[in-house]
Amino acid sequence: MSAKKSAEELKSIFQKYAAKEGDPDQLSKKELHLLIKAEFPNLLKSSSTIDDLFKELDKNGDGEVSFEEFQVFIKKISQ
Ligand SMILES: [Ca+2]
Ligand SMILES: [Ca+2]
């Protein structure tokens, strides 16, 4: 099995965590943190923090990460 996650898997991961609180189609910072901690724990060992990552992903600055904004993260981890 490849360590990389498929687009399908990433979408279901996004939906699973986005549905935890507030808007079920948007990831709050807390939801993003839970997602990273559970699914991509090695990312937390790198220099970028959840705060930085969240700021980078939340392009429109509404305090939530939509699936569209999440694509940036998917590109980042699939490099
Ligand atoms: Ca949410
Ligand atoms: Ca946003």
Side-chain angles (χ1 to χ4, degrees), residues 24-64:
D25 296 319
Q26 305 259 347
L27 278 179
S28 65
K29 194 185 282 183
K30 191 175 145 195
E31 288 166 337
L32 180 73
H33 198 166
L34 290 171
L35 187 158
I36 304 279
K37 222 163 69 176
E39 310 288 341
F40 305 97
N42 51 340
L43 282 188
L44 286 178
K45 290 175 197 135
S46 73
S47 56
S48 74
T49 64
I50 295 287
D51 275 346
D52 290 337
L53 180 66
F54 193 83
K55 257 183 246 157
E56 190 187 336
L57 297 182
D58 184 19
K59 293 266 180 252
N60 66 359
D62 66 353
E64 306 250 35

Side-chain angles (χ1 to χ4, degrees), residues 5 41 68 74:
K5 295 185 194 303
E68 201 189 321
I74 293 175

